[in-house]
Amino acid sequence: MPVLNLAHAFAANKVLRTSFRECCACLKDVEKAGSSVLISSLFTPEEFVISAASLPLDMYLPHRNFFSTLFQAVYAFLKIPQDRRMFYGRLNYLFRVWVTSADNLLDGEDKISLAVKMPVDSRVMRQVVVIMAADRILARFLDDAVLEGVVTREEARLVSDGTLQVLLPSAAEEASEEKGVAERPSPEYVLNTIHQLKTGLLFHLPLFGPERIEKDLDGKVFAACRQGLGQFGLGCQLLDDVRDLARDHVERRHNYGLSLMAHQSPSAFRRLEAMGSALPVDMPIFQQFADEMRPVARLAYGHMIEGLSHLNDCGLGLGPEPSRALALWMFKALDVEKAKAWLA
């Protein structure tokens, strides 16, 4: 099967094409608001000035906005007017900022979500500044939405409080992993509880606003969107588990593949433990455990296909072949392309 060109796939699909364009406009709105918020006071010594910077141009490419585009498409399925679609799209990007910055702090990473110019290189404080700036940007968007009649003051208050409340279960799950997992729980528990909090919840964030504000949602379409996003997100998380086998073993984090090995393939699990805690966390060792990771990759693919099927029923407009191509593209996007061979 030829490799999917995501830009061509977006261009060929009206829903994705429109949703991607809206996503880029929302991203530009966030970037513009950030430049108004991130301003040091007038008399700050030059060596302590913090200001906004421009996002790299590749932040506006399709592959950097695939999930955001999928999320934005849901609003078209739900027949939400454009002004509120854009309002929800801006919220989605702020969720992306909060989640990315939190992950950066927890995992020692430095992925860009909002560009900040610091006087000295500081990964940790930059993430703190980004989170604080995102909160102020949210306040601006809510005020503007009320003034423009997009939402009422009461609805804005629900959104303001809810953007924190909806993330708390995921925050609690992340907190439970900070000191490491003492024992590997059953794979069923990881799949149906841990991963629902870790990833399923995040893929339902686009529905947060409509669920609280929209008055005339089609219940069946809403349920199908929720199911579709959740299934697709779970598939992506399972591919993350395949990729992060070494990292999650060394850092003792929840991982469906590790729980599967611990409970069903103890000899393979002992072989992994024998590699020791000095195992490089970025080493792609999943191929050394092909028998154990093959069912994880297949389960991931199945969930993604099922998720896309639900979204197609809502109006995504991808046929069976493009859906398969998109699911296979995720293997490359999530750095487990060699695991595609296990689907044969």
mmCIF file of all heavy atoms in Angstrom, residues 235 237-239 241-242 255-258 260 292-301 331 342:
data_model
loop_
_atom_site.group_PDB
_atom_site.id
_atom_site.type_symbol
_atom_site.label_atom_id
_atom_site.label_comp_id
_atom_site.label_asym_id
_atom_site.label_seq_id
_atom_site.Cartn_x
_atom_site.Cartn_y
_atom_site.Cartn_z
ATOM 1 N N GLY A 235 -6.420 3.506 20.429
ATOM 2 C CA GLY A 235 -5.494 2.865 19.497
ATOM 3 C C GLY A 235 -4.147 3.564 19.474
ATOM 4 O O GLY A 235 -3.094 2.918 19.469
ATOM 5 N N GLN A 237 -2.836 5.330 21.909
ATOM 6 C CA GLN A 237 -2.160 5.066 23.179
ATOM 7 C C GLN A 237 -1.502 3.690 23.171
ATOM 8 O O GLN A 237 -0.393 3.518 23.690
ATOM 9 C CB GLN A 237 -3.149 5.172 24.338
ATOM 10 C CG GLN A 237 -2.544 4.865 25.699
ATOM 11 C CD GLN A 237 -1.387 5.774 26.049
ATOM 12 O OE1 GLN A 237 -1.539 6.994 26.068
ATOM 13 N NE2 GLN A 237 -0.218 5.200 26.329
ATOM 14 N N LEU A 238 -2.153 2.716 22.585
ATOM 15 C CA LEU A 238 -1.567 1.378 22.522
ATOM 16 C C LEU A 238 -0.308 1.373 21.659
ATOM 17 O O LEU A 238 0.660 0.665 21.973
ATOM 18 C CB LEU A 238 -2.597 0.379 21.980
ATOM 19 C CG LEU A 238 -3.738 0.050 22.955
ATOM 20 C CD1 LEU A 238 -4.840 -0.732 22.232
ATOM 21 C CD2 LEU A 238 -3.226 -0.743 24.149
ATOM 22 N N LEU A 239 -0.295 2.166 20.593
ATOM 23 C CA LEU A 239 0.931 2.282 19.805
ATOM 24 C C LEU A 239 2.017 2.987 20.612
ATOM 25 O O LEU A 239 3.200 2.640 20.503
ATOM 26 C CB LEU A 239 0.661 3.042 18.503
ATOM 27 C CG LEU A 239 -0.157 2.312 17.436
ATOM 28 C CD1 LEU A 239 -0.213 3.145 16.156
ATOM 29 C CD2 LEU A 239 0.409 0.925 17.137
ATOM 30 N N ASP A 241 2.355 2.615 23.739
ATOM 31 C CA ASP A 241 2.834 1.562 24.643
ATOM 32 C C ASP A 241 3.876 0.683 23.953
ATOM 33 O O ASP A 241 4.857 0.259 24.573
ATOM 34 C CB ASP A 241 1.664 0.696 25.112
ATOM 35 C CG ASP A 241 0.792 1.408 26.144
ATOM 36 O OD1 ASP A 241 1.139 2.531 26.552
ATOM 37 O OD2 ASP A 241 -0.240 0.838 26.539
ATOM 38 N N VAL A 242 3.647 0.394 22.681
ATOM 39 C CA VAL A 242 4.617 -0.391 21.916
ATOM 40 C C VAL A 242 5.933 0.371 21.813
ATOM 41 O O VAL A 242 7.017 -0.166 22.090
ATOM 42 C CB VAL A 242 4.064 -0.724 20.510
ATOM 43 C CG1 VAL A 242 5.146 -1.385 19.650
ATOM 44 C CG2 VAL A 242 2.840 -1.638 20.620
ATOM 45 N N ASN A 255 1.675 0.482 31.232
ATOM 46 C CA ASN A 255 1.859 0.143 29.828
ATOM 47 C C ASN A 255 1.104 -1.168 29.588
ATOM 48 O O ASN A 255 1.349 -2.156 30.286
ATOM 49 C CB ASN A 255 3.353 -0.013 29.520
ATOM 50 C CG ASN A 255 3.644 -0.317 28.067
ATOM 51 O OD1 ASN A 255 3.209 -1.338 27.545
ATOM 52 N ND2 ASN A 255 4.408 0.552 27.419
ATOM 53 N N TYR A 256 0.198 -1.148 28.638
ATOM 54 C CA TYR A 256 -0.616 -2.342 28.375
ATOM 55 C C TYR A 256 0.259 -3.528 27.988
ATOM 56 O O TYR A 256 0.056 -4.650 28.463
ATOM 57 C CB TYR A 256 -1.621 -2.050 27.260
ATOM 58 C CG TYR A 256 -2.472 -3.233 26.871
ATOM 59 C CD1 TYR A 256 -3.536 -3.652 27.683
ATOM 60 C CD2 TYR A 256 -2.222 -3.944 25.705
ATOM 61 C CE1 TYR A 256 -4.314 -4.747 27.329
ATOM 62 C CE2 TYR A 256 -2.991 -5.037 25.345
ATOM 63 C CZ TYR A 256 -4.042 -5.433 26.161
ATOM 64 O OH TYR A 256 -4.807 -6.514 25.817
ATOM 65 N N GLY A 257 1.264 -3.280 27.155
ATOM 66 C CA GLY A 257 2.153 -4.361 26.734
ATOM 67 C C GLY A 257 2.936 -4.950 27.889
ATOM 68 O O GLY A 257 3.101 -6.171 27.983
ATOM 69 N N LEU A 258 3.400 -4.094 28.803
ATOM 70 C CA LEU A 258 4.140 -4.587 29.967
ATOM 71 C C LEU A 258 3.235 -5.402 30.889
ATOM 72 O O LEU A 258 3.663 -6.438 31.426
ATOM 73 C CB LEU A 258 4.753 -3.420 30.735
ATOM 74 C CG LEU A 258 5.942 -2.737 30.044
ATOM 75 C CD1 LEU A 258 6.365 -1.488 30.808
ATOM 76 C CD2 LEU A 258 7.124 -3.698 29.918
ATOM 77 N N LEU A 260 0.601 -7.029 29.924
ATOM 78 C CA LEU A 260 0.323 -8.264 29.190
ATOM 79 C C LEU A 260 1.464 -9.258 29.376
ATOM 80 O O LEU A 260 1.247 -10.452 29.630
ATOM 81 C CB LEU A 260 0.122 -7.938 27.706
ATOM 82 C CG LEU A 260 -0.678 -8.906 26.853
ATOM 83 C CD1 LEU A 260 -2.128 -8.987 27.334
ATOM 84 C CD2 LEU A 260 -0.648 -8.465 25.388
ATOM 85 N N GLU A 292 5.117 -10.867 21.950
ATOM 86 C CA GLU A 292 4.313 -10.241 22.992
ATOM 87 C C GLU A 292 3.686 -8.921 22.535
ATOM 88 O O GLU A 292 2.573 -8.577 22.951
ATOM 89 C CB GLU A 292 5.173 -9.974 24.230
ATOM 90 C CG GLU A 292 5.654 -11.227 24.949
ATOM 91 C CD GLU A 292 6.775 -11.952 24.203
ATOM 92 O OE1 GLU A 292 7.564 -11.270 23.499
ATOM 93 O OE2 GLU A 292 6.862 -13.195 24.321
ATOM 94 N N MET A 293 4.373 -8.183 21.659
ATOM 95 C CA MET A 293 3.882 -6.876 21.234
ATOM 96 C C MET A 293 2.992 -6.949 19.993
ATOM 97 O O MET A 293 2.245 -6.016 19.714
ATOM 98 C CB MET A 293 5.065 -5.934 20.951
ATOM 99 C CG MET A 293 5.847 -5.528 22.189
ATOM 100 S SD MET A 293 4.825 -4.605 23.390
ATOM 101 C CE MET A 293 4.547 -5.892 24.610
ATOM 102 N N ARG A 294 3.064 -8.053 19.252
ATOM 103 C CA ARG A 294 2.218 -8.189 18.061
ATOM 104 C C ARG A 294 0.733 -8.012 18.369
ATOM 105 O O ARG A 294 0.048 -7.239 17.679
ATOM 106 C CB ARG A 294 2.475 -9.540 17.386
ATOM 107 C CG ARG A 294 1.716 -9.715 16.063
ATOM 108 C CD ARG A 294 1.997 -11.064 15.439
ATOM 109 N NE ARG A 294 3.393 -11.171 15.007
ATOM 110 C CZ ARG A 294 4.298 -11.937 15.600
ATOM 111 N NH1 ARG A 294 3.965 -12.679 16.662
ATOM 112 N NH2 ARG A 294 5.527 -11.984 15.141
ATOM 113 N N PRO A 295 0.197 -8.676 19.402
ATOM 114 C CA PRO A 295 -1.231 -8.476 19.688
ATOM 115 C C PRO A 295 -1.561 -7.050 20.132
ATOM 116 O O PRO A 295 -2.685 -6.588 19.916
ATOM 117 C CB PRO A 295 -1.518 -9.485 20.809
ATOM 118 C CG PRO A 295 -0.198 -9.882 21.365
ATOM 119 C CD PRO A 295 0.782 -9.744 20.245
ATOM 120 N N VAL A 296 -0.606 -6.343 20.718
ATOM 121 C CA VAL A 296 -0.840 -4.956 21.121
ATOM 122 C C VAL A 296 -0.986 -4.076 19.880
ATOM 123 O O VAL A 296 -1.900 -3.246 19.784
ATOM 124 C CB VAL A 296 0.295 -4.435 22.019
ATOM 125 C CG1 VAL A 296 0.006 -3.000 22.474
ATOM 126 C CG2 VAL A 296 0.494 -5.345 23.230
ATOM 127 N N ALA A 297 -0.094 -4.278 18.911
ATOM 128 C CA ALA A 297 -0.164 -3.501 17.669
ATOM 129 C C ALA A 297 -1.447 -3.805 16.904
ATOM 130 O O ALA A 297 -2.090 -2.901 16.353
ATOM 131 C CB ALA A 297 1.054 -3.797 16.800
ATOM 132 N N ARG A 298 -1.834 -5.066 16.877
ATOM 133 C CA ARG A 298 -3.065 -5.436 16.181
ATOM 134 C C ARG A 298 -4.288 -4.862 16.878
ATOM 135 O O ARG A 298 -5.237 -4.415 16.224
ATOM 136 C CB ARG A 298 -3.158 -6.960 16.090
ATOM 137 C CG ARG A 298 -2.163 -7.572 15.105
ATOM 138 C CD ARG A 298 -2.256 -9.085 15.092
ATOM 139 N NE ARG A 298 -1.424 -9.655 14.025
ATOM 140 C CZ ARG A 298 -1.251 -10.956 13.841
ATOM 141 N NH1 ARG A 298 -1.837 -11.828 14.654
ATOM 142 N NH2 ARG A 298 -0.488 -11.390 12.849
ATOM 143 N N LEU A 299 -4.273 -4.865 18.197
ATOM 144 C CA LEU A 299 -5.384 -4.283 18.946
ATOM 145 C C LEU A 299 -5.456 -2.776 18.689
ATOM 146 O O LEU A 299 -6.552 -2.216 18.529
ATOM 147 C CB LEU A 299 -5.197 -4.559 20.439
ATOM 148 C CG LEU A 299 -6.328 -4.111 21.367
ATOM 149 C CD1 LEU A 299 -7.632 -4.834 21.038
ATOM 150 C CD2 LEU A 299 -5.946 -4.358 22.842
ATOM 151 N N ALA A 300 -4.304 -2.121 18.644
ATOM 152 C CA ALA A 300 -4.255 -0.684 18.365
ATOM 153 C C ALA A 300 -4.865 -0.383 17.001
ATOM 154 O O ALA A 300 -5.698 0.526 16.853
ATOM 155 C CB ALA A 300 -2.809 -0.197 18.415
ATOM 156 N N TYR A 301 -4.461 -1.152 16.000
ATOM 157 C CA TYR A 301 -4.979 -0.956 14.641
ATOM 158 C C TYR A 301 -6.491 -1.160 14.617
ATOM 159 O O TYR A 301 -7.232 -0.370 14.015
ATOM 160 C CB TYR A 301 -4.287 -1.934 13.689
ATOM 161 C CG TYR A 301 -4.769 -1.860 12.259
ATOM 162 C CD1 TYR A 301 -4.369 -0.811 11.435
ATOM 163 C CD2 TYR A 301 -5.606 -2.843 11.733
ATOM 164 C CE1 TYR A 301 -4.799 -0.747 10.118
ATOM 165 C CE2 TYR A 301 -6.035 -2.778 10.423
ATOM 166 C CZ TYR A 301 -5.631 -1.728 9.623
ATOM 167 O OH TYR A 301 -6.075 -1.663 8.319
ATOM 168 N N PHE A 331 1.122 4.536 12.512
ATOM 169 C CA PHE A 331 2.286 3.744 12.921
ATOM 170 C C PHE A 331 3.567 4.526 12.647
ATOM 171 O O PHE A 331 4.494 4.531 13.473
ATOM 172 C CB PHE A 331 2.314 2.414 12.168
ATOM 173 C CG PHE A 331 1.397 1.364 12.735
ATOM 174 C CD1 PHE A 331 0.020 1.466 12.597
ATOM 175 C CD2 PHE A 331 1.906 0.258 13.409
ATOM 176 C CE1 PHE A 331 -0.835 0.502 13.116
ATOM 177 C CE2 PHE A 331 1.068 -0.709 13.943
ATOM 178 C CZ PHE A 331 -0.307 -0.582 13.794
ATOM 179 N N TRP A 342 3.447 -6.632 11.535
ATOM 180 C CA TRP A 342 2.729 -7.591 12.375
ATOM 181 C C TRP A 342 1.249 -7.675 12.025
ATOM 182 O O TRP A 342 0.547 -8.537 12.526
ATOM 183 C CB TRP A 342 2.867 -7.193 13.850
ATOM 184 C CG TRP A 342 4.260 -7.254 14.375
ATOM 185 C CD1 TRP A 342 5.302 -7.965 13.851
ATOM 186 C CD2 TRP A 342 4.780 -6.592 15.536
ATOM 187 N NE1 TRP A 342 6.440 -7.785 14.601
ATOM 188 C CE2 TRP A 342 6.141 -6.948 15.645
ATOM 189 C CE3 TRP A 342 4.220 -5.753 16.477
ATOM 190 C CZ2 TRP A 342 6.961 -6.492 16.682
ATOM 191 C CZ3 TRP A 342 5.026 -5.275 17.516
ATOM 192 C CH2 TRP A 342 6.371 -5.633 17.607
#
